[in-house]
Amino acid sequence: MNDDLRRAVRQVLPGVRTDLDALVRIPSVSAAPGSVEQVRRSAEMTARLFKDAGAPDVEILDDIEDGLPAVLARYPAPPGQPTVLLYAHHDVQPAGSPGQWSSPPFEPTERDGRLYGRGAADDKAGIAAHLAALRAYSGRPPVGVTVLVEGEEEIGSPNLGTFLARHKDKLDADVIVLADADNLTTGTPCLTTALRGMAACVVELRALEGGVHSGSYGGGVPDALTALCRLLATLHDEQGNVAVEGLATAVPPGAPVSEAGFRAEAGLLEGVQLLGSGSIAERIWAKPAATVLGIDAPPVATASPTLTPVARAKVGLRVAPGDDALKARKALAGHLRHHTPWGLQVTVVEAEVAQPFVIDARGPAFDAARRAYGEAYGNDVVDIGSGGSIPFVAEFADAYPQAAILIASAGADADSRAHGADESLNLADFERACLAETLLLAELTRSG
Ligand code: BES
Ligand code: MN
Ligand code: MN
């Protein structure tokens, strides 16, 4: 049985790879207002791929105002069999400056066993892995399958609540498989059992009615940019631990993360210290993190000797598994207001929020996943955490509390540089992930 499935997967892989390349060519950047048409094109291509892969029922869901299109493809359950929801997202992060890429971001390019391109790993490989599994079964999987490919994950899934409410009947599932996380090391299948959440705020400081001469007034009145720097410096203590009060810390999943590997994968420069305290796993999977994501201030090239009247910053907080992201966002907003120096006027606007999530990875679906992924990779499954966030997970779990949630990788690994320049997919792990998903569908059938 497994040999037949192995053969079937091997046969469909070349075609799946061609389709993955085609998906990567579409710059479906959800954060760019000018890319709405491209996000639509990637939804259309995704819909067509699943239609061609035998889905009797495929819809592009785009009935939410200002929402971006999601794709839903349904393969009805054979009598008595469970339904499995396969999740991925077809939107991607902006490419950043093309000059930092070794090959153009939207031209899929293979080098040394990796596929380079924006979205190659995050998360068009997820779409392709689901496609591989369905094609391996010639469009007739042994369990019911619902494929959901979201179009606004990378902007924090702002319409997810409405979406889930509107399509609740179509998304019900016994098991959900998300192919949107990482493997820790090549060849080791990882199940993500804890996700951090996210909470962001935009803070604006106002000091002056307008810009004034920095010689005439400097030293006597504050400027907004210097005040902003002081404020942002209060986000961390001396060691780099988050200094915002009222945030929780969790216990990380068991897998150890090596410090040397972590430094290298991050591309940390010589002499630069790690941030915070505790084990690496604690820092990235179990503790909050605060980051200044952007600043609106005069650019250096045109900076003049003038006191800046207004300055803004966006601050992102990663929220520990088990914490409440709404509470964390309130804590961050309060911290920013409270620590504003020198009496400047301050406004804080609360931005994206995504709940963290902890999975109790026990029970028949997890056993099935450990067998399928273990067999496909030839290595035991390891439980890991994720420093990143997937807003869908907590919202889905709220709507379907009985569903088992499996979060796996479609070939993204520690070298994938998702969101950065030279994003890439580990093609060997991608192939193993395609086989793993295929075996998983067989493992999830109810026999007898
Ligand atoms: N696939 C990532 C989340 C992820 C990253 C899972 C690393 C496991 C390991 C996802 O596409 C993502 O980037 N999510 C955003 C969500 C945010 C916009 C609310 C994130 O984490 O920044
Ligand atoms: Mn993703
Ligand atoms: Mn992402």
Side-chain angles (χ1 to χ4, degrees):
M1 164 73 164
N2 279 358
D3 284 346
D4 290 348
L5 290 176
R6 271 180 193 275
R7 211 168 302 119
V9 172
R10 207 173 305 128
Q11 249 169 27
V12 303
L13 276 174
V16 166
R17 176 51 206 285
T18 306
D19 295 328
L20 172 57
D21 285 8
L23 285 167
V24 173
R25 281 197 188 91
I26 303 178
S28 48
V29 179
S30 47
S35 295
V36 174
E37 204 37 53
Q38 302 294 346
V39 178
R40 162 149 302 282
R41 276 183 63 216
S42 74
E44 279 164 1
M45 180 177 293
T46 301
R48 190 175 47 69
L49 289 171
F50 285 100
K51 195 149 213 47
D52 292 350
D57 178 8
V58 179
E59 292 176 85
I60 293 182
L61 301 173
D62 60 353
D63 55 344
I64 296 174
E65 205 182 334
D66 296 325
L68 293 167
V71 177
L72 192 67
R74 294 195 292 168
Y75 302 73
Q81 294 302 337
T83 294
V84 180
L85 179 75
L86 302 178
Y87 170 97
H89 60 89
H90 67 92
D91 65 319
V92 300
Q93 288 285 334
S97 32
Q100 299 198 323
W101 286 74
S102 308
S103 49
F106 298 106
E107 271 175 36
T109 308
E110 187 174 335
R111 289 193 298 275
D112 303 327
R114 305 190 67 91
L115 181 67
Y116 287 82
R118 170 59 80 235
D122 185 12
D123 181 31
K124 287 173 172 171
I127 307 174
H130 300 334
L131 194 62
L134 289 157
R135 285 212 184 123
Y137 288 105
S138 306
R140 289 182 300 279
V143 290
V145 171
T146 305
V147 180
L148 173 65
V149 185
E150 210 193 331
E152 45 185 36
E153 196 275 345
E154 297 289 12
I155 50 172
S157 304
N159 297 297
L160 200 54
T162 317
F163 183 88
L164 281 175
R166 208 169 280 185
H167 302 291
K168 184 144 198 237
D169 52 322
K170 295 177 187 163
L171 297 172
D172 198 1
D174 302 285
V175 179
I176 164 171
V177 182
L178 296 99
D180 191 24
D182 297 342
N183 286 331
L184 216 49
T185 49
T186 304
T188 304
C190 294
L191 269 185
T192 296
T193 62
L195 286 168
R196 280 200 295 195
M198 147 98 134
C201 287
V202 175
V203 59
E204 179 175 289
L205 297 190
R206 292 174 306 277
L208 299 156
E209 285 170 0
V212 293
H213 198 290
S214 71
S216 312
Y217 297 96
V221 299
D223 69 278
L225 182 51
T226 305
L228 183 64
C229 292
R230 281 184 80 91
L231 171 58
L232 297 176
T234 67
L235 290 168
H236 297 94
D237 67 14
E238 219 42 54
Q239 259 188 301
N241 292 299
V242 177
V244 177
E245 272 173 43
L247 303 177
T249 292
V251 176
V257 184
S258 103
E259 180 174 330
F262 180 66
R263 292 185 73 102
E265 288 141 15
L268 207 60
L269 298 178
E270 180 74 43
V272 181
Q273 294 166 12
L274 293 175
L275 202 61
S277 56
S279 71
I280 305 291
E282 281 175 300
R283 293 184 226 199
I284 57 172
W285 295 341
K287 291 175 69 173
T291 308
V292 179
L293 299 172
I295 291 187
D296 286 345
V300 171
T302 54
S304 68
T306 306
L307 300 185
T308 301
V310 185
R312 300 203 305 164
K314 182 169 185 179
V315 178
L317 201 61
R318 294 289 170 176
V319 179
D323 205 352
D324 174 8
L326 291 169
K327 223 179 90 197
R329 190 171 62 176
K330 282 244 159 337
L332 173 62
H335 179 102
L336 292 168
R337 283 191 202 101
H338 187 76
H339 287 82
T340 294
W342 305 323
L344 266 75
Q345 296 181 6
V346 55
T347 335
V348 179
V349 177
E350 298 188 1
E352 293 94 317
V353 66
Q355 289 295 354
F357 202 72
V358 183
I359 293 167
D360 176 10
R362 289 177 301 183
F366 294 96
D367 294 342
R370 291 183 201 286
R371 286 193 299 272
Y373 281 78
E375 156 93 26
Y377 279 74
N379 267 321
D380 284 350
V381 168
V382 171
D383 290 4
I384 63 168
S386 155
S389 316
I390 308 175
F392 187 76
V393 174
E395 297 218 32
F396 179 84
D398 264 354
Y400 308 100
Q402 81 300 334
I405 302 178
L406 308 175
I407 308 179
S409 160
D413 66 7
D415 291 323
S416 281
R417 297 196 182 283
H419 298 197
D422 282 345
E423 173 180 349
S424 70
L425 173 69
N426 180 322
L427 286 166
D429 273 4
F430 171 66
E431 296 190 359
R432 293 188 267 256
C434 290
L435 175 60
E437 269 198 27
T438 307
L439 298 179
L440 176 62
L441 296 184
E443 289 283 358
L444 288 171
T445 52
R446 278 186 202 120
S447 41

